[in-house]
Amino acid sequence: MVTVSKIIARVTETRWSKLYVSVAMAQCVCVVILQSLICYMNDSEYKLLPAPPNEGVLSPTIPETEIPQLAADRLDRIKWENICFIGFQVWFALMTVDATVYQNTAEILALANINIICAILGALEVVDGNIWISKLADTHYELDFLYTASKLEICLSVVILIFACALAYLSYQMSRQFGWNIYKKIGADIKIQKMYRIFQFFVLALKIDIFTQFLVSVFYLIQYAIKLGIQWETGIQLAITLLMLPMFYFARTAGSSECHGRMILFITFEAIVMVHYVLILLQTVDPTDSWYVWICLVCVGMAIDVGTIILGCLCMRNFDRGLKPYVQRGATDKSKHELTLQKSQSRLSWRIDDE
């Protein structure tokens, strides 16, 4: 069981763990501040423009008079993208602590790659902002808020890139630190090590799903319901979204208890989530105004969803093959297993010394 004392002990275990968590927290604070300012600027510019119709701006050939409405519609969406990125940074910071506490090498390395993707999406914000500045340049509307937002977005991209490079190096050092700890935990059995890594990747996929499935769905549903109201698609998406967090916990317990029925149920649910993603794509892909960031997030989510299904199947294939004692979450089961492992390692060391 994770306690406050255990979290503090793991985070402060080495200088690399201290640096890793500190840099991640610093990134969270800096990016949240910058994204909040960008969100405020975009919202302020949105209020200066004419309100878009509920169904969005309409035709592939956009008349000059409709550009301000199209810009207002896009800026309203960008506002929700900013809020989504703020949620991502909070999730990312918590995940770095989680990876440090549970000493999950796969999670550490995956977070480094996700952070690089975030830097790329930050650069996409700059490009998108400049597109709308150029489209509105010939109108009579003031663009001071957009110009300020553009400068902040450039600053944000540089800040994320610097932090991404720093965390990539620290992730490498942390992965080296965790290697020996994992060996001490599960021993030298190669088969057990392979099965344990697969289980680690499955748990990692569940944690990434918290953002790519749950948080992205929540932010999307809020802005979509505000704009178009409750429709039949919204009802299906809401039901799926509400089930996500319980199903992630359900899947984690299914893996640790090696229950085939529960794992099959979770894999079926993840297949249904693909339908949810398809509905989002149908609602966001528009020939006049493709919603770039959300489309990227949905595509990443679909890839992670497929990966989660595959890893769930691989974990299920490893059930009843000796991994169960190593993935228990209860304190009693863990202490019994650790005592058994220490005795076996002690006997092994005596044999080596005798030889």
Side-chain angles (χ1 to χ4, degrees):
M1 182 178 178
V2 178
T3 60
V4 175
S5 58
K6 181 179 179 180
I7 293 172
I8 294 172
R10 288 286 172 86
V11 169
T12 59
E13 187 175 1
T14 66
R15 64 169 181 157
W16 296 118
S17 59
K18 293 176 187 176
L19 279 171
Y20 179 71
V21 174
S22 298
V23 171
M25 293 300 168
Q27 173 180 304
C28 179
V29 172
C30 292
V31 174
V32 166
I33 291 172
L34 287 171
Q35 282 285 11
S36 299
L37 291 172
I38 293 168
C39 183
Y40 172 77
M41 295 300 166
N42 287 328
D43 189 53
S44 298
E45 185 68 34
Y46 166 78
K47 291 175 181 176
L48 296 177
L49 299 172
N54 285 338
E55 296 299 329
V57 185
L58 313 169
S59 62
T61 304
I62 305 167
E64 191 71 21
T65 55
E66 287 187 5
I67 287 179
Q69 289 185 327
L70 181 58
D73 184 61
R74 180 69 186 119
L75 286 173
D76 187 47
R77 296 182 182 187
I78 291 174
K79 177 182 69 177
W80 286 101
E81 291 172 11
N82 297 145
I83 295 171
C84 184
F85 274 119
I86 290 171
F88 167 80
Q89 287 301 322
V90 174
W91 170 84
F92 182 85
L94 294 175
M95 285 286 286
T96 58
V97 175
D98 179 87
T100 304
V101 171
Y102 287 104
Q103 300 187 331
N104 190 328
T105 304
E107 189 172 349
I108 289 281
L109 298 177
L111 286 174
N113 291 314
I114 290 171
N115 210 27
I116 292 170
I117 294 173
C118 181
I120 295 171
L121 291 177
L124 191 60
E125 278 192 33
V126 178
V127 175
D128 201 21
N130 288 333
I131 288 173
W132 291 106
I133 288 175
S134 64
K135 286 185 177 182
L136 289 169
D138 296 329
T139 65
H140 64 276
Y141 295 98
E142 293 183 8
L143 301 178
D144 292 344
F145 290 117
L146 277 186
Y147 284 125
T148 304
S150 179
K151 293 174 183 177
L152 288 170
E153 285 164 354
I154 293 171
C155 179
L156 175 68
S157 298
V158 173
V159 167
I160 294 177
L161 183 61
I162 292 170
F163 276 115
C165 293
L167 284 171
Y169 174 73
L170 291 171
S171 297
Y172 170 71
Q173 296 295 339
M174 290 286 283
S175 65
R176 293 179 62 190
Q177 173 188 323
F178 291 165
W180 174 240
N181 293 340
I182 293 171
Y183 176 81
K184 288 191 293 183
K185 178 179 179 179
I186 63 178
D189 191 318
I190 301 298
K191 290 182 180 179
I192 294 294
Q193 287 182 7
K194 287 181 179 179
M195 290 190 292
Y196 185 78
R197 287 195 196 99
I198 290 172
F199 184 80
Q200 272 197 321
F201 276 111
F202 176 66
V203 173
L204 169 62
L206 295 177
K207 293 172 182 176
I208 295 175
D209 284 336
I210 293 173
F211 175 74
T212 59
Q213 287 187 21
F214 179 71
L215 289 179
V216 169
S217 297
V218 167
F219 289 129
Y220 180 79
L221 281 173
I222 290 172
Q223 66 81 32
Y224 188 80
I226 289 173
K227 183 178 178 183
L228 296 178
I230 303 297
Q231 299 180 350
W232 70 267
E233 299 102 323
T234 315
I236 295 173
Q237 292 169 323
L238 180 62
I240 294 172
T241 302
L242 291 175
L243 286 171
M244 284 177 181
L245 288 181
M247 289 302 294
F248 296 153
Y249 179 78
F250 187 75
R252 176 61 177 87
T253 58
S256 59
S257 62
E258 298 194 347
C259 178
H260 287 82
R262 278 188 280 173
M263 186 63 80
I264 291 171
L265 183 60
F266 170 73
I267 290 170
T268 303
F269 174 77
E270 286 297 285
I272 295 172
V273 170
M274 292 297 290
V275 177
H276 169 64
Y277 280 132
V278 170
L279 288 175
I280 292 179
L281 282 179
L282 291 174
Q283 292 161 351
T284 53
V285 176
D286 188 307
T288 66
D289 179 28
S290 293
W291 199 351
Y292 312 110
V293 174
W294 283 107
I295 292 170
C296 289
L297 288 173
V298 170
C299 290
V300 169
M302 293 176 78
I304 299 297
D305 189 21
V306 172
T308 304
I309 292 172
I310 293 171
L311 288 167
C313 292
L314 291 175
C315 282
M316 192 162 55
R317 191 181 67 174
N318 291 331
F319 285 176
D320 302 321
R321 295 176 64 182
L323 182 65
K324 186 175 181 179
Y326 301 89
V327 294
Q328 297 305 300
R329 303 193 73 176
T332 305
D333 291 335
K334 272 192 172 181
S335 59
K336 287 180 181 179
H337 167 63
E338 287 171 359
L339 181 61
T340 303
L341 184 59
Q342 287 172 4
K343 288 180 179 178
S344 64
Q345 288 178 338
S346 176
R347 288 195 297 270
L348 180 60
S349 65
W350 276 108
R351 290 195 196 101
I352 294 171
D353 289 341
D354 289 342
E355 291 173 358

